[in-house]
Amino acid sequence: MIALSCALLYTLPDAHAQDACQPIKQIDPQQTDITITELIEQPGGYCLSHDIKSPRLYDIHGEKYASSPILQISSSNVEIDLQKHSLTAETGGMSGILLSQIDRQGQLPSHVSIRNGTVSTRTIGAIEMAFREGSLRADFMTKYSGNTRSSGRDYEKLQKISAGDYPLTENIIDSMKIQANTSEKNFTAGLVGIGMRGKGNVVRNSTIEINNGHASVYLFGPNNVIENNIIIFRGNSAYESAAAIKLHHSDGTIVRNNDIVVHGIPGSSSAAAISVIDSKDVLIENNRVYGIKTLTRIWDDKSSTTERNNEIRNLPAAPSAKGEPSVQ
């Protein structure tokens, strides 16, 4: 992995009182051998003025991988407007946008919005907002390649958490085009189009596509909303519970007015468009599902859903990733 010294990251000025957005700045290429932007560690509005693409990297041993995302956020109360520009991670192991697990106050980051642009990654997940992957014991066994000790440790930690333990975060992803794992290789960790953790988060008006991944949209926490999106899952997955949408601890979450497209069979023969784990009173309505006949798979006896006005349609009628989300 390629490490990045914290000394290379410039502190951005406090933007509490500023109306105009601050530019998202790329770190000087002479200071690092990977293409990334400066860390966003202060509240405020930020804009992208041009496309940024991180190329593949090689040395005498072959391809090099990087652990840093193109854009990282470590603060609450941040608005990101990509202004129809793109962040493209061709570098192996590089994600697109990463929101840290805690903010400067030691809390789960809240009121962070990402809008109006494109994020594409070649080998890993696209947008992860304080996200931690894995719900079932089988998920962790897959993630850790059968390591019983590591998988058991993480699974036991997760069992101590319930929907009521998540703080109100109200993070938003709106009007985005997202492509994850464009290489179409089969990896076992970090493969989500969007992963979010917290209460009251929203994913809307976006096109989210993943190849051979865990989920196109994977949310932890209650009272979230997924609406008016094109959500595409392509290929197969090493995870039994993989789905276009995966929900955990998602009491009261609403999934509505989405086009959910499945090319291939995610997970096992019991695959569904939506996987629901330890989530009560999930409302799933007015969605169109293409390429798979099962709308929802509930993985435990604690979860419950209300499903109404959803349609199973033929795959040839599905919208493409180039289309715009719309209520049909």
Side-chain angles (χ1 to χ4, degrees):
M1 292 291 185
I2 300 170
L4 177 67
S5 170
C6 292
L8 296 179
L9 301 175
Y10 304 128
T11 301
L12 299 177
D14 194 322
H16 278 293
Q18 296 186 19
D19 294 326
C21 61
Q22 302 177 68
I24 296 171
K25 297 179 180 179
Q26 183 177 329
I27 292 178
D28 188 336
Q30 295 182 353
Q31 295 183 296
T32 177
D33 57 354
I34 56 177
T35 303
I36 60 173
T37 62
E38 296 176 357
L39 173 67
I40 293 178
E41 55 182 348
Q42 297 288 345
Y46 298 83
C47 298
L48 188 65
S49 61
H50 61 281
D51 296 348
I52 296 178
K53 182 177 181 178
S54 64
R56 301 187 195 189
L57 299 176
Y58 299 92
D59 60 18
I60 60 173
H61 303 291
E63 184 175 359
K64 296 197 296 183
Y65 280 66
S67 58
S68 300
I70 294 182
L71 173 62
Q72 183 167 352
I73 306 162
S74 64
S75 174
S76 294
N77 302 304
V78 170
E79 296 184 5
I80 303 291
D81 185 351
L82 298 182
Q83 299 191 127
K84 299 190 181 300
H85 295 294
S86 62
L87 298 172
T88 303
E90 286 290 317
T91 308
M94 179 178 284
S95 60
I97 299 177
L98 177 67
L99 178 64
S100 300
Q101 298 286 341
I102 57 174
D103 62 16
R104 299 180 69 186
Q105 284 71 46
Q107 305 296 319
L108 200 66
S110 63
H111 300 101
V112 175
S113 64
I114 301 169
R115 308 173 188 269
N116 197 27
T118 298
V119 176
S120 178
T121 56
R122 184 173 65 89
T123 67
I124 201 165
I127 299 178
E128 298 185 6
M129 303 185 75
F131 177 69
R132 291 174 178 161
E133 187 177 32
S135 295
L136 307 178
R137 185 182 293 275
D139 293 346
F140 292 104
M141 287 291 288
T142 299
K143 180 178 178 180
Y144 291 109
S145 303
N147 185 316
T148 303
R149 182 176 181 180
S150 294
S151 60
R153 177 196 62 210
D154 282 7
Y155 181 72
E156 293 304 322
K157 285 181 180 179
L158 188 61
Q159 296 313 296
K160 299 176 182 179
I161 300 172
S162 66
D165 295 325
Y166 291 84
L168 184 65
T169 48
E170 296 183 323
N171 297 321
I172 297 173
I173 294 177
D174 188 6
S175 302
M176 295 290 297
K177 288 189 177 294
I178 295 164
Q179 294 178 300
N181 191 26
T182 60
S183 69
E184 300 185 10
K185 293 184 179 179
N186 288 294
F187 298 94
T188 58
L191 274 183
V192 294
I194 296 171
M196 303 175 79
R197 187 161 59 99
K199 179 180 179 180
N201 295 326
V202 177
V203 179
R204 66 188 177 208
N205 305 325
S206 298
T207 299
I208 307 108
E209 180 178 12
I210 194 167
N211 293 294
N212 298 321
H214 197 153
S216 302
V217 180
Y218 192 168
L219 304 186
F220 282 83
N223 302 119
N224 295 314
V225 176
I226 302 171
E227 64 180 355
N228 199 29
N229 303 285
I230 298 174
I231 299 171
I232 302 173
F233 188 106
R234 295 186 184 275
N236 299 305
S237 176
Y239 291 91
E240 181 184 13
S241 58
I245 298 172
K246 189 167 179 177
L247 305 174
H248 193 159
H249 294 147
S250 292
D251 296 9
T253 286
I254 298 171
V255 181
R256 65 187 172 205
N257 299 333
N258 301 285
D259 287 295
I260 305 171
V261 185
V262 178
H263 298 271
I265 304 175
S268 69
S269 58
S270 57
I274 304 171
S275 281
V276 181
I277 300 100
D278 199 358
S279 302
K280 301 178 182 65
D281 301 319
V282 176
L283 175 60
I284 302 171
E285 65 177 355
N286 300 326
N287 300 285
R288 283 82 50 200
V289 178
Y290 309 81
I292 194 167
K293 294 182 178 180
T294 304
L295 174 63
T296 305
R297 170 72 191 271
I298 293 177
W299 289 87
D300 55 77
D301 58 6
K302 295 179 286 186
S303 298
S304 61
T305 64
T306 298
E307 301 172 16
R308 60 192 183 210
N309 301 325
N310 300 289
E311 298 181 25
I312 304 297
R313 298 184 178 180
N314 294 328
L315 185 58
S320 73
K322 296 180 180 179
E324 295 295 331
S326 62
V327 178
Q328 300 180 18

